[in-house]
Amino acid sequence: MKQLLNTLYVQTQGAYLRLEGETLKMEMPEEEPFQIPLHHLGSLVVFGNVLISPYLLHRCAEDGRMVVWLSRSGRFKGRLDGPVSGNVLLRRAQHQALCAEDVTLDLARRFVAGKLQTARHTLMRAARESDHPNHQTALQSAAREHASIIQHLPRLNRLDEVRGAEGDAAKIYFGVFDHLILANKNSFAFQGRNRRPPKDPVNALLSFTYGLLRNECVSACEGVGLDPQMGFLHTLRSGRPSLALDLMEELRSPLADRFVLTLINRQQIKPDDIVKRPGNSYSLNDDTRKALLSAYQKRKQDEVYHPASNKSVPYGLIPHVQARLLARFLRGDVPCYQPFLLR
């Protein structure tokens, strides 16, 4: 359970939420009940097996307090808005922002800046921990190049230039990614990012984990009432969740890349766990998928400091916090969108 930005996130399985006077009361198996005044809550998000009483649902609907249901893994299931909803106004603001070139450009810069900052953090951390001088030098150089691109971003006045800068940084990042792999180097050799299909075990792990993160970001957009297909950095394409992909960029390194590296370096994933398919492609076998999903759910419970909320937040809630921050910006509640940054 976590309260962030006037939203209560409930992940405790078997919890029961009910209305008691002017408060929400949460009853949990083998734990003390928890109560919070309703006027402190703007919305409610529940994961998996969490029950809500009809009277609490009625009150939330009457007050215009959004209730969002997600699966335990974070996949969007549904949303209650009540008779008077601001979602149409939020989506209208989202569409208007897309038509404003200056707003679109600013958001694209911020998504890319967030991505490059978190990637740079990963590179610098790896350089500090490396005991291989050549690897350390390469990682430090890549981190400096990321810093240079970040400093140059405000001077880019076209969306294609911002996308080009992001592409250049990605090539630099994945150009030294192999130095971050410390165990079973021969089997988990990495020579660059590839996909559809992945041509090596590391890319198979990355692609699968990126798919999980993408689902999280789609659910986060849906949960706050944003249109996940109406993005700013990524081009619009039928069936493509462009906004979810925008949010995903700044979360790739901390939520996906570092998770995959941990699995490999701690040898929680072994070379035999990745299956070679016809056409020189690789994929995860059934047991590996189950093990990875289990580890991913545990990872989502770990907490990290979130600058915008000024408190520790479970990794699994970061996409939802970022979507809510974006919604606040689009509604005009805050002057700018703050990407997620590690410190």
Side-chain angles (χ1 to χ4, degrees), residues 180-198:
L180 279 65
I181 298 171
L182 307 178
N184 296 308
K185 290 285 290 185
N186 291 334
S187 298
F188 287 115
F190 183 85
Q191 297 181 346
R193 181 77 179 114
N194 57 68
R195 52 184 179 160
R196 297 176 187 166

Side-chain angles (χ1 to χ4, degrees), residues 94-292:
Q94 181 183 356
H95 295 173
Q96 288 175 332
L98 186 64
C99 295
E101 293 184 5
D102 57 335
V103 178
T104 296
L105 182 61
D106 179 67
L107 282 172
R109 287 191 192 121
R110 290 177 180 274
F111 290 134
V112 173
K115 175 179 182 175
L116 270 57
Q117 286 279 19
T118 52
R120 181 172 178 269
H121 187 279
T122 296
L123 296 172
M124 293 174 64
R125 177 179 176 179
R128 289 194 301 268
E129 296 175 353
S130 176
D131 55 5
H132 194 297
N134 291 339
H135 292 178
Q136 190 176 60
T137 299
L139 291 166
Q140 290 171 340
S141 176
R144 284 194 298 270
E145 291 183 86
H146 274 64
S148 177
I149 296 174
I150 292 168
Q151 291 176 346
H152 189 62
L153 276 174
R155 296 193 290 273
L156 301 181
N157 296 316
R158 295 176 53 227
L159 195 54
D160 285 344
E161 292 176 340
V162 176
R163 291 169 178 154
E166 185 274 329
D168 291 341
K171 290 178 183 177
I172 295 167
Y173 177 78
F174 284 119
V176 296
F177 195 80
D178 188 63
H179 299 333
L180 279 65
I181 298 171
L182 307 178
N184 296 308
K185 290 285 290 185
N186 291 334
S187 298
F188 287 115
F190 183 85
Q191 297 181 346
R193 181 77 179 114
N194 57 68
R195 52 184 179 160
R196 297 176 187 166
K199 298 296 185 181
D200 59 71
V202 177
N203 274 293
L205 288 167
L206 287 173
S207 291
F208 185 81
T209 308
Y210 287 159
L212 297 177
L213 181 57
R214 171 175 160 157
N215 289 337
E216 301 273 354
C217 292
V218 169
S219 293
C221 293
E222 292 275 14
V224 299
L226 290 166
D227 185 342
Q229 297 195 32
M230 191 68 67
F232 300 92
L233 173 64
H234 288 80
T235 55
L236 304 186
R237 187 181 302 165
S238 179
R240 182 188 201 184
S242 295
L243 183 64
L245 296 176
D246 288 354
L247 290 177
M248 180 177 165
E249 290 300 338
E250 64 198 67
L251 307 179
R252 285 179 186 267
S253 183
L255 272 67
D257 298 349
R258 286 168 62 165
F259 169 70
V260 168
L261 289 168
T262 297
L263 293 180
I264 294 174
N265 292 336
R266 292 182 180 177
Q267 300 189 54
Q268 294 172 264
I269 295 289
K270 303 291 180 60
D272 292 343
D273 294 333
I274 313 296
V275 180
K276 187 173 183 178
R277 303 292 186 186
N280 197 34
S281 64
Y282 289 79
S283 65
L284 284 60
N285 62 37
D286 290 342
D287 290 339
T288 304
R289 256 193 306 273
K290 292 176 183 176
L292 189 150

